[in-house]
Amino acid sequence: KNYPPGPYSWPLVGNIYQLRKLACTHGGQHLALLELSRRYSSDVIALRLGRQNMIAVSGYEGIQTILNGQEYEGRPWNEFIKIRNMGMRKGITMSDGPEWKEIRAWVVRSLRSVGFGRREMSVMIKDEVVHVVENLKVGGVRSMKPVIAPAVINVLWTMATGKRLCEGPRLQYFMELMERRAKAFDMSGGILSTFPWMRYLAPEFSGYNVLMVFNEEIKNFLMDIINEHKENYTPGNEDDLIDMFLGEMYSGKGAKAGFTEDQLVMILMDLFIAGITTTTVTLDFLFLNMVMHVDKQKRLQQEVDAIVGRERLPELSDRPNLPYTEAVLTESQRICMVTPVIGPRRVLSDTELLGYTIPENTTVLINVYSVHMDPLHYPEPEKFKPERFIKDGVYVPDENLMLFGRGRRRCPGEALARSALFLLFVGILQKFVLLPVPGKQTPTLDIVPGLTISPKPYEVLVVPRDNCTNGTSKLID
Ligand code: HEM
């Protein structure tokens, strides 16, 4: 009787259609869940998707409890996730229990020893900034996403494999597949989780085909590079993630502790899936916000000119001296968090949340958007106001924000993501002004929903700052 409130659940289908309809009318699953919370005046809403009992949680208090509570650190094993994981409960993102703990701890340690969060990483990212600047130097009307995505992929690829991935049709194809995959599902696993048989009846519509093609492509990609590493493996000479894993597999903890080839494939897949789209789209939103707020872009560039100048690329050590830039990065991520709903989690034992009884194995969706857009904490939450994070000229980190999650499932890629966002964003704005395309409407924050949300495709006028003509200066002013 203590179960959370929620909409009437229809036999067999549960609430899938209601949720989809609400997401369509309100513009995304995060907004649909917020609307349900409002309708039922509760931060915890009960839903049923097919055979899955689910709760959606909004508000700081409930979300804090979940992110920090051990009983919420499980992951469900529904049809979408089974297919996503090629039937194997391995890797980091969708596994749980003792093997997940062991493997996650190993990945975090190993990423650190290949330079993650350290100088080596920023050198690698700066190499990518140079490529992007070269690509943009002719200026003109451009889409930013296809320019920045290869840079993000290359940073991750170099960490994992020791070398850059050459740009070409295969990389383009891989990027397209990733995008289609992100759009075909949402955090609840979409229609495939509710009606697994839809894969036979409507393989295209249910997203089954794109998932299978993506899995096949990424597995082939990864197996080529793993086999190359196996052929050249020399013990004691492990300087990328794959070599380190092979070392652990051959002469370290071995298969008993979960160090198998399948595990390696899933770890790499998890890092690429979780890292590429999120980081690329966060950058895409940042550039979009700069085009929508050219005055704020100009203020940021003045700060960068004063502290970094134009002769050298920005360094991570410049960060503390760039409070306005830091505030712009935070504000854009607050309003345009690419994962406004995080999870899904699985409740590991019966528990209580905000006075409601939550049974074991309930799936949990966490609506972080509700916290980041709370008008009590962020007056006029829809407005882009970097100044809200600045006090007396100093950037003040906001404890309320959960941009990379919290607790034991906190994003293990945070250090890389934060560094890549800073160096690529500031490196590009140091060299170019981004403006609305003359004669076209200024792009807006309209989103494309999915597993990660993204902005609707937009174009910008890229103007190299060093050759700003009078005409362009007028546009900027
Ligand atoms: C702007 C970029 C990124 C954002 C906004 C982001 C956000 C998040 C969030 C909120 C979570 C927590 C999910 C939960 O609590 O259930 C998470 C988990 C995760 N992230 Fe990131 N992330 C980003 C970049 C990256 C990168 C670059 C990598 C890889 C190097 C990565 C790898 C992962 C993995 C593997 C998990 C799952 C952790 C687990 O379940 O134990 N992420 N991320």
Side-chain angles (χ1 to χ4, degrees):
K1 75 176 190 312
N2 242 347
Y3 203 57
Y8 172 75
S9 159
W10 294 92
L12 293 175
V13 293
N15 303 112
I16 185 141
Y17 291 119
Q18 289 138 298
L19 195 58
R20 286 202 140 205
K21 199 167 160 217
L22 270 181
C24 281
T25 39
H26 288 265
Q29 195 182 55
H30 52 301
L31 294 164
L33 297 178
L34 210 55
E35 171 61 17
L36 285 174
S37 262
R38 197 191 54 78
R39 278 188 199 171
Y40 292 90
S41 307
S42 169
D43 275 349
V44 189
I45 297 294
L47 295 163
R48 201 172 156 78
L49 300 196
R51 282 184 300 172
Q52 267 187 109
N53 281 328
M54 187 176 276
I55 55 165
V57 184
S58 302
Y60 188 80
E61 196 188 340
I63 291 181
Q64 269 288 91
T65 310
I66 291 170
L67 294 183
N68 293 319
Q70 280 193 31
E71 66 275 38
Y72 294 99
E73 72 184 24
R75 293 285 194 204
W77 189 238
N78 61 36
E79 215 53 35
F80 161 67
I81 295 171
K82 265 186 221 163
I83 301 169
R84 176 212 183 269
N85 267 37
M86 306 183 215
M88 299 180 284
R89 200 111 211 235
K90 299 203 177 295
I92 318 171
T93 313
M94 287 306 168
S95 58
D96 54 28
E99 195 166 294
W100 161 71
K101 277 187 199 145
E102 170 89 39
I103 296 296
R104 183 183 154 113
W106 181 89
V107 169
V108 170
R109 256 194 333 269
S110 308
L111 282 173
R112 224 175 279 139
S113 63
V114 293
F116 219 63
R118 293 211 306 262
R119 210 185 145 267
E120 295 92 311
M121 184 174 78
S122 67
V123 171
M124 200 190 304
I125 301 172
K126 279 193 328 199
D127 272 357
E128 296 303 325
V129 177
V130 173
H131 280 92
V132 174
V133 169
E134 183 62 24
N135 185 329
L136 287 175
K137 79 173 179 211
V138 284
V141 176
R142 308 287 296 264
S143 294
M144 296 302 284
K145 197 152 139 199
V147 183
I148 46 185
V152 173
I153 294 182
N154 266 318
V155 171
L156 269 170
W157 194 260
T158 313
M159 285 272 168
T161 70
K163 55 184 177 195
R164 288 186 89 236
L165 191 69
C166 286
E167 286 171 36
R170 197 173 183 196
L171 180 58
Q172 280 301 329
Y173 176 58
F174 180 61
M175 278 163 34
E176 270 164 38
L177 277 177
M178 268 199 114
E179 203 156 306
R180 276 176 48 207
R181 176 189 180 281
K183 282 180 195 154
F185 298 94
D186 59 29
M187 263 310 156
S188 65
I191 203 155
L192 210 50
S193 283
T194 318
F195 309 121
W197 41 266
M198 282 293 273
R199 71 159 104 166
Y200 305 110
L201 221 62
E204 200 60 46
F205 171 73
S206 65
Y208 178 74
N209 279 356
V210 68
L211 207 51
M212 293 307 281
V213 175
F214 175 83
N215 280 358
E216 187 64 22
E217 183 65 10
I218 195 167
K219 194 166 179 194
N220 290 341
F221 240 158
L222 296 175
M223 281 319 296
D224 286 352
I225 195 86
I226 291 172
N227 287 333
E228 201 180 290
H229 274 67
K230 278 162 73 180
E231 275 162 31
N232 301 322
Y233 176 72
T234 320
N237 217 0
E238 294 95 358
D239 50 14
D240 64 38
L241 200 70
I242 299 183
D243 271 344
M244 292 175 77
F245 191 94
L246 292 178
E248 203 68 62
M249 196 167 107
Y250 294 144
S251 46
K253 292 185 173 164
K256 261 200 214 137
F259 290 85
T260 59
E261 203 167 292
D262 284 345
Q263 185 76 268
L264 176 57
V265 172
M266 282 314 300
I267 291 173
L268 294 173
M269 189 166 139
D270 279 350
L271 293 178
F272 292 127
I273 290 179
I276 294 171
T277 316
T278 47
T279 313
T280 307
V281 176
T282 302
L283 277 163
D284 208 22
F285 271 125
L286 272 159
F287 294 125
L288 174 58
N289 274 312
M290 290 297 88
V291 178
M292 291 172 62
H293 306 282
V294 175
D295 54 329
K296 304 204 192 275
Q297 179 183 168
K298 194 174 170 193
R299 182 165 166 200
L300 181 149
Q301 282 163 331
Q302 282 166 349
E303 184 182 73
V304 174
D305 281 352
I307 302 297
V308 184
R310 299 210 195 163
E311 298 306 313
R312 64 167 179 91
L313 283 175
E315 302 277 351
L316 291 179
S317 56
D318 292 318
R319 278 191 104 140
N321 302 321
L322 297 169
Y324 190 74
T325 307
E326 198 70 63
V328 166
L329 279 155
T330 306
E331 179 67 343
S332 179
Q333 289 175 83
R334 179 189 70 82
I335 298 186
C336 311
M337 187 175 177
V338 294
T339 50
V341 178
I342 63 176
R345 300 291 186 86
R346 179 174 64 90
V347 178
L348 296 175
S349 55
D350 290 358
T351 186
E352 212 171 84
L353 180 68
L354 302 178
Y356 297 116
T357 304
I358 312 295
E360 187 181 348
N361 284 328
T362 303
T363 298
V364 183
L365 297 185
I366 308 160
N367 194 4
V368 183
Y369 179 85
S370 65
V371 176
H372 292 177
M373 297 303 271
D374 180 354
L376 291 178
H377 200 83
Y378 307 101
E380 300 187 295
E382 310 281 344
K383 289 214 170 128
F384 186 79
K385 292 204 283 191
E387 308 75 34
R388 61 174 101 236
F389 298 112
I390 297 194
K391 279 210 179 73
D392 303 326
V394 177
Y395 170 76
V396 184
D398 187 301
E399 295 300 319
N400 210 51
L401 292 174
M402 307 168 192
L403 302 175
F404 293 92
R406 274 186 195 173
R408 296 210 287 185
R409 282 213 178 255
R410 187 185 183 106
C411 177
E414 179 176 349
L416 173 67
R418 281 172 41 76
S419 306
L421 294 176
F422 176 82
L423 293 174
L424 279 158
F425 179 61
V426 183
I428 291 172
L429 288 186
Q430 180 195 35
K431 301 273 185 293
F432 304 97
V433 178
L434 306 182
L435 297 169
V437 178
K440 282 197 176 175
Q441 255 195 339
T442 303
T444 60
L445 279 188
D446 284 352
I447 61 150
V448 182
L451 265 173
T452 47
I453 61 161
S454 51
K456 285 207 169 134
Y458 67 93
E459 285 181 326
V460 300
L461 175 67
V462 178
V463 183
R465 289 185 74 208
D466 287 337
N467 23 329
C468 275
T469 60
N470 282 344
T472 326
S473 301
K474 253 190 232 142
L475 279 173
I476 301 163
D477 290 333

